[in-house]
């Protein structure tokens, strides 16, 4: 027993969180019976259940948004609900920041703020929002179970029954993680659903974890973020894709991998059934994937390249296709995808051979970030994917292929591949002497610069000029020289010496297309297995149903 309490004649309570929850829930009896909150009473309910200073986890993924609940939170009376500590993986909707301007929330811990990055930077400068930390997804999820455990969780699901059981369908994403952290430490879980029904296709989250459900006035927001129209893939993307397949995937025997979203990786996916097939690589590379159901992966799946795909989330229009390919995707008995952002991040960090991503800026030593001047975007899961986990112990050919020393105690390395064009939109060079992230971090009073992927984790960089095999570089200066050799006419590239470049090519630290037996003139759109969204629909036998904005018919 605590001696101070004993001296005061009182025993310490070990159920303060549970008691607080019971007290708040008891106040709901005048508003609702059972678990179901009337749709038109949700603001009243939030004002009853949330107390000033509470830690509130609001679900906002890359794609799925608890949009009904976030809108309701922005309409509570700030005299009743204020000073909240918000924990959100993605700042995606205007009301996510409105709550700070209205004084409802004060402190924010998050991972990504792409759609709201400009406003976020301005609000930090104005002092209307206080940032705890910018996290990777896994880092944020981990802290939910340590020092950021929510008092309140606001999440979204497709359907619920009267017992509170939830069906999340293809877009499970981070819902189970948020709910578990909250429910098992006596927090209150509120789920918005599109439909209340007595029979669910499957139970994704048991009702014993859920306190209240509310039927939203319209379906939760869902974005098609991982769909890339093949019409937008350029010959430059195709050339870079050919180099990646020949100079990295084939060379290092990459069997398992994560592709980030982008036209560079979409080009690779559409080159596997054509260019990859011509190299005799089917069955030798690219078997197991961690990524959302990319429509551009359909031809590779249909032609027998892909053995498995585990997904962070779903993708609009891919539902019927995924359900028809259970040998490839992780699906439930109902046929729909079971995505899981937390477990897919774990798989992407520890279980795959390679991560292939991109960035807006890279410095002369390979450090990169999507945080640029005036934009505080964060970085989501890229630092998890784009890092070499020192805890890995299982070997693969690709992992072992990164060993460069001769000691008896050696460890391999995950391949971290950055594919960037030398200039981004607006003719801005990607390669810069100093990342904007350094200044942005200082202006936002962050304790460390918001670097997305650290240079010492990057093993390969691909541009339209060639490949830099950074893992082979002997020191920092040689890393810089290797990057300069493929940096084109950027300031970094202009400083590259021809003699140094030729030595790097001879030593295998740099490879140009011709070194990989690739003719630049062969990089034509005719190589793509699908050249339009319509072609992807054909490959899927009509199972893929693209959102209207991607259709050309």
């Amino acid at each position: 027993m605590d001696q101070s309490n004993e001296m005061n004649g009182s025993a310490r309570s070990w159920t303060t969180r549970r008691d607080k929850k019971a007290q708040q829930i008891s106040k709901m009896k005048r508003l609702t019976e059972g678990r179901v909150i009337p749709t038109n009473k949700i603001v009243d309910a939030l004002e009853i259940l949330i107390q000033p200073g509470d830690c509130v986890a609001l679900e906002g993924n890359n794609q799925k948004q608890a949009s009904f609940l976030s809108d309701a939170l922005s309409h509570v009376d700030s005299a009743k609900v204020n000073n909240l500590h918000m924990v959100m993986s993605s700042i995606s909707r205007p009301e996510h920041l409105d709550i700070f301007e209205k004084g409802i929330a004060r402190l924010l811990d998050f991972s990504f703020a792409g759609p709201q990055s400009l406003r976020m930077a301005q609000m930090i400068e104005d002092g209307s929002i206080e940032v705890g930390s910018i996290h990777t997804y896994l880092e944020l999820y981990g802290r939910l179970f340590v020092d950021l455990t929510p008092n309140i969780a606001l999440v979204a699901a497709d359907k619920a029954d009267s017992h509170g059981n939830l069906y999340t369908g293809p877009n499970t994403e981070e819902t189970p993680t948020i709910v578990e952290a909250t429910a098992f430490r006596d927090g209150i879980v509120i789920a918005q659903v599109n439909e209340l029904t007595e029979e669910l296709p499957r139970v994704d989250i048991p009702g014993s974890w859920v306190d209240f459900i509310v039927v939203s006035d319209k379906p939760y927001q869902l974005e098609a973020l991982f769909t890339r129209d093949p019409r937008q893939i350029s010959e430059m993307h195709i050339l870079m894709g050919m180099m990646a397949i020949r100079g990295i995937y084939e060379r290092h025997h990459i069997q398992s991998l994560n592709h980030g979203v982008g036209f560079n990786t979409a080009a690779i996916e559409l080159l596997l059934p054509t260019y990859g097939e011509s190299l005799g690589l089917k069955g030798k590379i690219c078997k197991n994937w961690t990524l959302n159901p990319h429509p551009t992966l359909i031809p590779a799946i249909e032609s027998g390249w892909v053995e498995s795909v585990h997904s962070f989330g779903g993708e609009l229009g891919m539902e019927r296709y995924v359900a028809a390919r259970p040998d490839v995707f992780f699906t439930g008995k109902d046929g729909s995808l079971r995505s899981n952002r937390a477990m897919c991040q774990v798989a992407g960090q520890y279980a795959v051979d390679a991560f292939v991503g991109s960035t807006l800026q890279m410095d002369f030593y390979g450090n990169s970030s999507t945080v640029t001047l005036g934009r505080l975007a964060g970085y989501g899961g890229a630092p998890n994917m784009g890092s070499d986990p020192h805890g890995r112990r299982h070997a693969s050919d690709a992992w072992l292929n990164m060993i460069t020393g001769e000691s008896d105690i050696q460890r391999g390395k995950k391949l971290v591949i950055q594919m960037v064009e030398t200039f981004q939109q607006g003719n801005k060079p990607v390669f810069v002497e100093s990342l904007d992230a350094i200044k942005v971090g200082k202006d936002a009073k962050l304790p460390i610069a918001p670097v997305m992927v650290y240079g010492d984790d990057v093993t390969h960089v691909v541009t339209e000029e060639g490949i830099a095999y950074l893992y082979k570089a002997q020191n920092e200066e040689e890393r810089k020289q290797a990057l300069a050799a493929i940096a084109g006419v950027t300031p970094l590239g202009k400083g590259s010496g021809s003699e140094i470049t030729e030595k790097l090519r001879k030593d295998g630290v740099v490879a140009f297309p011709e070194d990989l037996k690739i003719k630049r003139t062969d990089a034509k759109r005719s190589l793509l297995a699908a050249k339009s969204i319509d072609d992807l629909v054909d490959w899927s036998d009509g199972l893929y149903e693209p959102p209207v904005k991607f259709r050309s018919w």
Side-chain angles (χ1 to χ4, degrees):
M1 180 180 291
D2 186 292
Q3 290 185 351
S4 61
N5 285 333
E6 189 177 39
M7 290 174 63
N8 293 330
S10 62
R12 171 182 173 180
S13 171
W14 294 95
T15 58
T16 56
R17 293 178 68 93
R18 187 171 301 170
D19 295 342
K20 176 184 176 182
K21 176 177 179 176
Q23 183 182 33
Q24 296 308 103
I25 288 180
S26 68
K27 298 176 183 178
M28 289 289 287
K29 291 180 180 178
R30 62 181 173 82
L31 190 67
T32 183
E33 291 184 8
R35 298 172 183 266
V36 182
I37 300 172
T39 303
N40 63 350
K41 297 294 184 182
I42 186 59
V43 173
D44 296 331
L46 295 182
E47 289 178 348
I48 291 171
L49 293 171
I50 304 175
Q51 293 188 332
D54 271 350
C55 180
V56 178
L58 173 60
E59 184 168 21
N61 300 306
N62 275 339
Q63 298 162 284
K64 183 176 72 171
Q65 306 291 325
S67 45
F68 176 70
L69 289 173
S70 63
D71 182 69
L73 183 61
S74 72
H75 285 90
V76 300
D77 184 348
S78 60
K80 298 177 181 178
V81 180
N82 52 66
N83 203 37
L84 299 182
H85 180 176
M86 300 301 300
V87 180
M88 305 167 65
S89 67
S90 179
I91 312 299
S92 303
R93 293 172 56 84
E95 67 266 20
H96 290 171
L97 294 179
D98 289 348
I99 59 175
F100 291 91
E101 291 185 338
K102 293 179 177 181
I104 297 166
R106 174 186 59 84
L107 179 61
L108 172 65
D109 280 281
F110 76 107
S111 294
F112 181 67
Q116 300 295 326
S117 58
L118 289 172
R119 187 179 173 198
M120 169 77 80
Q122 187 62 54
M123 288 179 66
I124 291 174
E125 185 177 331
D126 294 343
S128 54
I129 188 169
E130 180 183 342
V131 174
S133 293
I134 307 174
H135 305 72
T136 72
Y137 286 136
L138 274 183
E139 184 180 14
L140 188 67
Y141 300 154
R143 289 190 68 190
L144 294 178
F145 295 90
V146 182
D147 60 335
L148 288 181
T149 305
N151 302 106
I152 305 287
L154 306 176
V155 299
D158 280 19
K159 307 175 192 292
D161 62 21
S162 59
H163 301 290
N165 297 306
L166 301 182
Y167 168 70
T168 52
N171 300 287
T172 300
E173 300 195 43
E174 66 186 21
T175 316
T177 307
I178 296 173
V179 172
E180 181 168 341
T182 307
F184 286 88
R185 199 155 176 255
D186 296 310
I188 296 173
V189 176
I190 307 167
Q192 71 167 76
V193 296
N194 297 335
E195 181 184 353
L196 186 62
T197 180
E198 278 310 305
E199 188 172 347
L200 299 177
R202 69 173 190 249
V203 174
D204 287 307
I205 297 174
S208 60
W209 297 13
V210 180
D211 298 294
F212 295 101
I213 53 178
V214 57
V215 179
S216 56
D217 55 4
K218 57 185 175 182
Y220 57 74
Q221 180 189 346
L222 190 62
E223 294 294 325
L225 291 185
F226 294 88
T227 298
R228 288 295 178 268
D229 188 342
R231 293 178 188 273
Q232 304 301 317
I233 296 175
S234 69
E235 292 183 352
M236 184 183 296
H237 297 137
I238 294 167
L239 175 62
M240 292 170 67
M242 293 170 72
M243 286 192 285
I245 292 171
R246 193 72 198 266
I248 302 177
Y249 291 24
E250 178 184 21
R251 177 172 297 188
H252 301 302
H253 314 292
I254 293 174
Q255 308 255 354
S256 57
L257 67 162
N258 164 259
H259 268 187
V261 60
F263 289 107
N264 289 321
T265 47
I268 294 173
E269 291 156 17
L270 291 172
L271 286 170
L272 290 176
T274 56
Y275 180 65
E277 190 82 31
S278 73
L279 298 175
L281 295 177
K282 186 164 73 174
K284 298 178 181 178
I285 64 169
C286 301
K287 296 180 181 179
N288 307 107
W289 299 70
T290 60
L291 78 178
N292 284 51
H294 290 188
T296 46
L297 197 60
I298 291 173
I301 294 172
E302 294 300 303
S303 55
W305 281 77
V306 179
E307 292 184 4
S308 70
V309 176
H310 187 256
S311 300
F312 308 96
E315 185 67 1
L316 277 173
M318 286 289 283
E319 294 84 1
R320 288 179 61 230
Y321 179 77
V322 169
R325 302 291 183 268
D327 276 354
V328 173
F329 295 95
F330 288 72
T331 57
K333 289 183 179 180
D334 65 308
S336 73
L337 180 72
R338 166 68 179 201
S339 59
N340 189 310
R341 189 173 300 279
M343 290 311 301
C344 201
Q345 288 285 336
V346 171
Q349 185 165 17
Y350 281 94
V352 303
D353 291 334
F355 159 81
V356 189
S358 190
T359 187
L360 295 179
Q361 284 190 337
M362 179 176 289
D363 71 15
F364 295 173
Y365 302 99
N367 300 297
S368 64
S369 188
T370 52
V371 174
T372 56
L373 289 178
R375 292 179 181 269
L376 192 63
Y379 21 64
N384 294 137
M385 305 289 114
S387 67
D388 177 47
H390 285 209
R392 174 170 168 166
R393 291 297 181 269
H394 78 280
S396 65
D397 287 345
W399 189 76
L400 294 171
N401 212 242
M402 293 296 100
I403 295 176
T404 55
E406 297 180 356
S407 168
D408 289 337
I409 298 180
Q410 286 282 4
R411 58 180 302 277
K413 194 170 186 178
K414 184 171 78 177
L415 283 78
V416 175
I417 303 154
Q418 294 276 44
M419 295 186 71
V420 296
E421 298 169 42
T422 53
F423 286 88
Q424 55 178 295
Q425 287 184 342
N427 206 32
K428 296 178 182 178
V430 166
F431 295 97
V432 295
E433 189 169 1
S434 178
L435 297 176
D436 286 356
I438 296 174
K439 184 179 187 307
V440 172
K442 289 179 179 178
D443 291 346
K445 297 180 173 58
L446 299 177
I448 57 174
V451 173
M452 182 177 70
V453 176
Y454 289 109
D456 55 5
D457 277 324
V458 179
T459 58
H460 301 71
V461 175
V462 184
T463 73
E464 70 272 21
E465 301 294 333
I467 302 175
Y469 296 89
L470 296 185
Y471 76 96
K472 287 187 173 185
Q474 298 299 309
N475 49 52
E476 287 290 284
E477 182 58 28
E478 191 164 84
R479 288 174 69 87
K480 180 178 178 181
Q481 292 170 351
L483 288 173
I486 61 164
V489 293
T490 64
L492 175 62
K494 289 180 179 179
S496 176
S498 58
E499 290 185 8
I500 293 175
T501 296
E502 288 306 309
K503 182 179 186 305
L504 292 172
R505 291 173 68 185
K506 182 179 179 182
D507 294 342
V509 181
V510 166
F512 290 165
E514 49 269 32
D515 300 323
L516 303 171
K517 296 182 172 55
I518 294 173
K519 294 181 180 178
R520 295 176 186 265
T521 54
D522 287 345
K524 301 293 186 184
R525 282 183 49 81
S526 58
L527 275 180
L528 297 176
K531 301 170 185 63
S532 66
I533 292 289
D534 197 10
D535 288 348
L536 294 176
V537 174
D538 289 342
W539 269 98
S540 76
D541 290 329
L543 292 170
Y544 173 44
E545 301 172 309
V548 173
K549 67 179 181 179
F550 290 104
R551 299 178 189 177
S552 57
W553 62 92

